[in-house]
Amino acid sequence: MAQTFDVCIRGAGIAGRTLALLLARERLRVALVVAPPSGGAPDVRAYALNAGSRGVLEALRCWPDEEHATAVTQMQVFGDLDGRVVFDAASQHVDALTWIVDVPALERRLAEAVRYQPMVEVVSEPVAAPLTAICEGRASSTRSEFGVDFSVTPYAQHAIATRLHCEHPHGQVARQWFTADGILALLPLDGPDGHSVAVVWSVAREQADGWLAADAEDFTARLEEISQGALGRLELAAPRMAWPLQQAVASRWCGAMPDGDARSTARSWVLVGDAAHNVHPLAGQGLNLGLGDVQALARILQERGYWRGTQDLRLLRRYERERKAALAPMGLAMDGLQQLFSRPEAPVQVLRNWGMNGFERFGPLKDWMARQAMGLAQRSQA
Ligand SMILES: Cc1cc2nc3c(=O)[nH]c(=O)nc-3n(C[C@H](O)[C@H](O)[C@H](O)COP(=O)(O)OP(=O)(O)OC[C@H]3O[C@@H](n4cnc5c(N)ncnc54)[C@H](O)[C@@H]3O)c2cc1C
C-alpha cells in the first residue's frame, strides 16, 4: 500500500526540519520535501539563538556542541556618538544571554536526526497530505502559487556576512556598532576562548558590491576602524556573502488548499518561519521567531481533540493569531531601530544616543527588552 502522510512539509531549512522532527515525535507521519542541493558555498553565517530556540533544539538532541554554540555572557551596543547599552548575563540571572550557533553545524545535526527518524520520509516532490506546511523561506514559490499576498518593505541595505580571526579573544562578548553608514555586529565563535567572530554588517545597498569585492585588507581595516580596535587586528577567515534586507509579512498564514490543486479536498496549508515573515537581522531574531512558530504549531496540533485532523482550520487560525501577536512587537522594534539609525540629521543623532544612555540607566525597560530578546518573556507568562 502506498505510504500516507499526516503532514507534508515543503522546505528543509532549519524551520522545516525542526518541525518535521517535532511532529514525528507526536507520531505524525511526515513527508519532508527537500530541494535539490544548490551547489553553492556553505553558509558563512552564525545565528544568535535564544533560550527558547535552544530548548526545542536540545529536546530534539540537535543542539551543537560548545565549540559550535558559543554562549554570550555580555552584549555591548554602541551608538554613533556616545550612546552605549550593555546587557549582562549575570545581571539578568542567566548563564548566557544568547548563543552564537554555527549554521552548517546546526544544519548537519538536524539532517542527521531526520535521517534516523522513521516517521519522516524525505521526498523530492510535494505529496498529498491533510496539512501542507510551507517552510520555503522568504522567496517561497508555493506561497505565491497559493495567491497569498506577501507585503514586503525593502530596506535600502544589504547584510554582508563573513568570519574573522581576531587578535584578542572575544571574551564571550557580542558587540554591535550603529554608525552613520551601517550596523556592524561581531559575534563570538569557537567557544569561550575563541579568537574568531561572525560578522553581520548591514551597509547601504550601493556600497555592498564594493565591500564584497574590496581587498581583504581594506575590508578588515574598515571593520577595525568601526569596532575601534576592540578585538585588535582582524583577518578575513571566510568568503563574504550578502543578503538584501527586508521586512515582510504574509497577509494570511493558513487556508484551504486552492481548488485548482488536485490534492485540495479537505486539505489545508500553513506558513511557517521566513515564508510567513521577515525581520531585519540587527537583533538576530528571524529564526528565533521561526522556531517559535514551529513550537506553537506542533503544540497546537498535539493538543487537538482526537476528532480533529491536522488540517482543521480552527487550529491553524489559532496558530496564526498566536504567532502574529508574537511577531508584531519584534517587527516594530527592529524596524523602529533601523529607521532611527538611518537618519543622518544631527539632532536625530544626538537624540538617539541620548535615548540609548537613558535606556541603559532605566533598569526595568532594559530588563524587559532583554527578556523578550532572550525568548524568556513568553515562558514566564506561560
Ligand atoms: C545576514 C543574516 C543574519 C541573520 N542572523 C540571524 C540571527 O542571528 N538569529 C536569527 O534568529 N535569525 C537570523 N537571521 C534570519 C534567519 O536567517 C532566517 O530567519 C532563517 O534562515 C529562516 O529559516 P527558514 O527555515 O524559515 O527558511 P530558510 O532558511 O530560507 O529555508 C528554506 C528552505 O526551503 C527550501 N526551499 C525553498 N523553496 C522550496 C521549494 N519550492 N521546495 C522545496 N524546498 C524549497 C530552501 O532551499 C531552504 O532549504 C539572519 C538572516 C540574515 C540574512
Side-chain angles (χ1 to χ4, degrees), residues 11 13-15 35 45 47-48 135-137 141 159 243 273-274 281 284-288:
I14 296 172
R45 288 176 296 179
Y47 293 151
C135 303
E136 294 174 350
S141 56
W243 283 260
D274 268 26
Q285 288 299 328
L287 182 62
N288 287 309

Side-chain angles (χ1 to χ4, degrees), residues 10-16 33-36 45-49 107 135-142 159-161 187 200 243-245 272-275 277 279 281 283-290:
R10 300 193 189 186
I14 296 172
V33 186
V34 177
R45 288 176 296 179
Y47 293 151
L49 294 187
E107 286 173 343
C135 303
E136 294 174 350
R138 59 152 81 177
S140 167
S141 56
T142 305
I160 297 178
L187 309 171
V200 183
W243 283 260
L245 298 182
V272 178
D274 268 26
H277 48 73
V279 293
Q285 288 299 328
L287 182 62
N288 287 309
L289 286 165

Side-chain angles (χ1 to χ4, degrees), residues 285-365:
Q285 288 299 328
L287 182 62
N288 287 309
L289 286 165
L291 290 175
D293 297 349
V294 164
Q295 289 174 85
L297 182 59
R299 171 176 43 77
I300 287 170
L301 291 179
Q302 183 214 339
E303 289 171 359
R304 75 189 191 282
Y306 67 89
W307 65 95
R308 292 192 196 281
T310 52
Q311 76 277 31
D312 192 308
L313 278 171
R314 267 162 300 190
L315 300 175
L316 301 177
R317 288 198 193 103
R318 192 191 309 160
Y319 156 79
E320 174 172 348
R321 280 194 302 276
E322 194 178 301
R323 293 313 295 162
K324 277 186 171 167
L327 170 70
M330 202 53 86
L332 276 176
M334 296 312 98
D335 195 48
L337 270 173
Q338 196 281 333
Q339 304 282 355
L340 190 62
F341 277 88
S342 60
R343 299 272 301 272
E345 304 91 310
V348 182
Q349 186 186 33
V350 171
L351 195 67
R352 63 192 171 222
N353 284 274
W354 174 81
M356 282 180 85
N357 290 328
F359 177 83
E360 171 66 10
R361 285 191 297 270
F362 187 54
L365 179 60

